[in-house]
Amino acid sequence: MKHNTERKWWKEGVVYQIYPRSFQDTTGNGIGDLQGIIKRLDYIQSLGVDIIWLNPVYTSPNDDNGYDISDYRNIMAEFGTMDDMDELMTQMKKRGLRLVMDLVVNHSSDEHEWFVESRKSRDNAYRDYYHWWPAEKGTPPKRFSYFDEDSNAWKYDEPTDSYYLHYYSAKQPDLKWENPKVREEVYDLMKFWFDKGIDGFRMDVISTISKDVNYPELPEKYKGDFIPYYADGPHLHEYLKEMNQKVLSKYDVMTVGEAPGVNQEQALNFVDEDRKELNMFFHFDLMSLDREPGETFKMRKEQWKLTEFKKVFSEWDGVFAQKGWGSLYLNNHDFPRSVSRWGNDSKTHWQNSATLLQTFLLSMRGTPYFLYGEEIGMTNIKFDSISDYQDINTHSRYKAIKKAGGDLETFLKEEKHAGRDNARTPMQWNTQHNSGFSEAKPWLKINENYKEGINVAEQEPEKDSVLNYFRTMVQVRKDHLALVYGAYQLLLANNELVYAYLRSWEDERFLVLLNFSTKRSSVTIDEVRFDKAHLIISNDDAENNKIDNHFELTPYQASIYKVF
Ligand code: GLC
């Protein structure tokens, strides 16, 4: 039997990602909080989504907005208390919503008590919880760091005359998974949350937890692109299997690993059901499409092409055609807003390109993940000045370029398309002060286009709004299991304007037509009989433009037909 038609709630569910800092402030400090999410649960339920993925809400000094955790069993004071968390879970359960938390265990905060102890002395009980290199051995072999302005992942620490490893900022020391005690700590904290009743984990950079603890020189071939090296640690799959056996297998939960550096050949090693590791993971092939090779955040010169976009999705669909299961996303808190990147955020095309992208994600095989605000078509903010950015990633790259005497103007220009803060601006609820997000000055500027229709309140009553289209399209997916489990067949592979595919399951077949362009585009589809084609949904008046098997699509038109 093909594994991937086996029905599971996490395959049929639609995920809604919340960046808590930016969702809804209820305390008047300009920062979103758990009570804010509780306040908006009816809205979330009204979208038809099933699962909320919450970015980290644990205690953290916020060097990287919660991705630096100093207490895994407590809630960040700015966000609320454990009582708020319990209330959130109760209120979600009432509404049939499931909760997926972020599990950030490649590293902790340097303020976590494990690290506070670890750095005290070389024979401290927690010493071996982290990766240390004694200075008498000389300078450790080069490791790159994402958030260090010198891209140096080793930081010298005076008290013990040693260096510690941090793939991210110096305040995010990497945990040493090779130490069985560390693994037990992680499993314990996972159980703590599962026993509280959460439904799964999104596992932060889980592909990089296993390291070669001899810390050899980085092999030459990885010097231009170290990410695949980080993702290919010697014991990675041993650890994931152990985690599954000791924790995951005991609960009905979903897991999705964030997996930079994992390629198509390696994919099933993570999610083949027989291996008992994870359910899904996020690959980075789409996210790196418009970037320089080996660079996660640096824009490439040429525009991305639709054929490249189709290739990513078609190849990855093929990887999971028999086994495993895919995850589908067009943006998240680390990558710019989907409509600004893959659609078109100009006044003319914003609406239809936003709904086209929704149609796309909700008609592909795999579990779709939407970022808060994507349902109303929120766009990149495109800051002009470095002082507007809050993100450590933007600031560290800015400092590095400045130090090297590089071109800061170009950097800032590119950051309008690449910067992570584009995806983190406060939720646009209404046209009132600060878009209804907060009474106080928000921690990150709000996109002014909340005054121009990109907000929930104005879209709510409009029949054809991006918001209401989203709701309808979620329902279309729910009504037709073929859109979840059906086989995917790409049509018109070489067409640079139109993305067309079939989804077939049992005796149902659907044709999806997406005009990814600002031009009217006509296509001829030979694979189906159109005399009986039946329109299921469209963001435009599609029926009028169809003659036999020939279609005229308006700019960014998206239509789905039931075909025979
Ligand atoms: C992941 C997170 C990102 C964070 C990084 C370090 O990539 O998605 O936001 O900065 O890990 O934890």
Side-chain angles (χ1 to χ4, degrees), residues 64 67 104 107 147 168 172 202 204-205 258 333-334 420 424:
D64 184 19
Y67 280 94
V104 189
H107 43 267
F147 303 154
Y168 293 87
Q172 295 169 295
R202 174 267 187 190
D204 192 60
V205 288
E258 189 203 22
H333 64 293
D334 292 330
R420 303 198 299 181
R424 300 176 176 184

Side-chain angles (χ1 to χ4, degrees), residues 358-536:
Q358 295 171 349
T359 315
F360 170 63
L361 219 63
L362 289 164
S363 64
M364 286 292 284
R365 178 160 57 182
T367 298
Y369 292 74
F370 290 90
L371 176 64
Y372 76 97
E374 201 171 355
E375 76 279 18
I376 55 166
M378 276 173 59
T379 65
N380 284 354
I381 190 156
K382 303 176 188 158
F383 287 134
D384 289 318
S385 155
I386 184 69
S387 59
D388 285 330
Y389 286 96
Q390 299 294 331
D391 182 15
I392 181 173
N393 182 31
T394 299
H395 280 282
S396 62
R397 284 161 50 240
Y398 182 87
K399 283 185 207 147
I401 294 168
K402 194 168 177 187
K403 216 178 201 175
D407 181 355
L408 288 169
E409 209 178 304
T410 305
F411 171 76
L412 285 176
K413 225 163 94 196
E414 289 184 0
E415 208 59 358
K416 293 184 180 192
H417 304 284
R420 303 198 299 181
D421 279 343
N422 281 305
R424 300 176 176 184
T425 59
M427 178 67 181
Q428 298 170 200
W429 293 107
N430 52 45
T431 51
Q432 292 159 21
H433 183 56
N434 290 333
S435 76
F437 164 69
S438 174
E439 293 296 321
K441 184 169 175 255
W443 74 278
L444 182 67
K445 277 192 182 164
I446 299 179
N447 197 317
E448 285 297 310
N449 61 19
Y450 79 86
K451 295 171 188 152
E452 293 154 29
I454 309 190
N455 67 74
V456 174
E458 281 185 305
Q459 291 190 24
E460 202 62 75
E462 253 180 65
K463 190 172 135 290
D464 295 328
S465 63
V466 175
L467 172 61
N468 283 320
Y469 186 90
F470 178 80
R471 289 181 170 130
T472 311
M473 188 55 219
V474 168
Q475 197 51 48
V476 166
R477 184 176 178 91
K478 300 249 146 103
D479 291 344
H480 304 286
L481 277 183
L483 295 179
V484 177
Y485 295 106
Y488 159 92
Q489 185 192 343
L490 176 65
L491 309 173
L492 311 172
N494 301 321
N495 191 310
E496 288 291 2
L497 307 176
V498 176
Y499 194 166
Y501 49 91
L502 290 169
R503 299 294 312 282
S504 335
W505 197 52
E506 296 184 339
D507 50 5
E508 279 201 318
R509 208 145 75 113
F510 294 88
L511 170 70
V512 183
L513 290 175
L514 308 163
N515 181 8
F516 269 79
S517 86
T518 55
K519 302 193 185 82
R520 288 184 78 85
S521 310
S522 43
V523 290
T524 304
I525 307 282
D526 295 322
E527 280 78 357
V528 287
R529 279 183 51 204
F530 281 101
D531 45 340
K532 287 204 241 153
H534 168 63
L535 184 69
I536 299 288

Side-chain angles (χ1 to χ4, degrees), residues 34-259:
L34 296 180
Q35 283 299 333
I37 300 174
I38 295 170
K39 183 174 155 196
R40 297 297 185 177
L41 283 179
D42 286 340
Y43 167 74
I44 297 171
Q45 186 184 24
S46 81
L47 299 174
V49 301
D50 309 274
I51 302 162
I52 293 178
W53 154 26
L54 215 50
N55 287 102
V57 294
Y58 316 94
T59 310
S60 162
N62 282 313
D63 197 44
D64 184 19
N65 288 353
Y67 280 94
D68 47 320
I69 296 167
S70 53
D71 183 350
Y72 290 95
R73 289 178 169 80
N74 262 312
I75 300 297
M76 192 190 298
E78 287 167 331
F79 290 169
T81 62
M82 195 55 99
D83 285 346
D84 296 323
M85 191 67 209
D86 291 338
E87 188 184 338
L88 174 65
M89 290 200 280
T90 311
Q91 292 300 330
M92 283 181 65
K93 283 217 165 72
K94 265 195 200 157
R95 292 168 177 81
L97 291 165
R98 304 219 189 215
L99 176 62
V100 167
M101 303 260 290
D102 227 298
L103 180 73
V104 189
V105 286
N106 172 72
H107 43 267
S108 73
S109 162
D110 66 336
E111 295 181 33
H112 194 290
E113 61 168 344
W114 299 333
F115 191 76
V116 172
E117 285 299 316
S118 187
R119 82 197 314 179
K120 278 186 183 161
S121 69
R122 288 190 181 186
D123 55 11
N124 187 283
Y126 290 92
R127 184 64 170 180
D128 212 28
Y129 272 44
Y130 295 87
H131 298 269
W132 290 101
W133 176 275
E136 62 272 19
K137 281 172 69 180
T139 319
K142 174 79 186 169
R143 289 293 181 270
F144 293 89
S145 152
Y146 282 94
F147 303 154
D148 183 84
E149 55 185 276
D150 300 317
S151 191
N152 180 5
W154 289 106
K155 172 141 167 96
Y156 179 73
D157 204 44
E158 222 257 296
T160 59
D161 189 29
S162 306
Y163 297 84
Y164 67 86
L165 187 69
H166 61 91
Y167 281 178
Y168 293 87
S169 92
K171 285 187 67 62
Q172 295 169 295
D174 282 43
L175 282 160
K176 193 172 177 188
W177 276 69
E178 290 66 27
N179 179 353
K181 282 197 201 141
V182 168
R183 304 204 296 276
E184 287 307 324
E185 299 269 16
V186 171
Y187 305 152
D188 275 356
L189 76 90
M190 291 174 74
K191 283 187 223 152
F192 170 84
W193 284 102
F194 284 141
D195 291 339
K196 269 180 123 11
I198 71 162
D199 300 286
F201 277 120
R202 174 267 187 190
M203 302 183 179
D204 192 60
V205 288
I206 201 71
S207 52
T208 68
I209 55 174
S210 162
K211 278 111 183 161
D212 181 340
V213 290
N214 295 315
Y215 315 109
E217 284 298 333
L218 206 61
E220 203 51 44
K221 69 169 178 173
Y222 293 115
K223 291 210 169 129
D225 183 5
F226 59 92
I227 305 169
Y229 177 79
Y230 283 10
D232 197 19
H235 301 290
L236 175 59
H237 292 289
E238 256 168 63
Y239 301 157
L240 293 179
K241 280 202 168 71
E242 183 183 74
M243 177 198 280
N244 188 301
Q245 188 222 326
K246 293 197 170 173
V247 188
L248 301 173
S249 59
K250 311 228 184 308
Y251 303 86
D252 174 24
V253 290
M254 72 167 243
T255 51
V256 54
E258 189 203 22

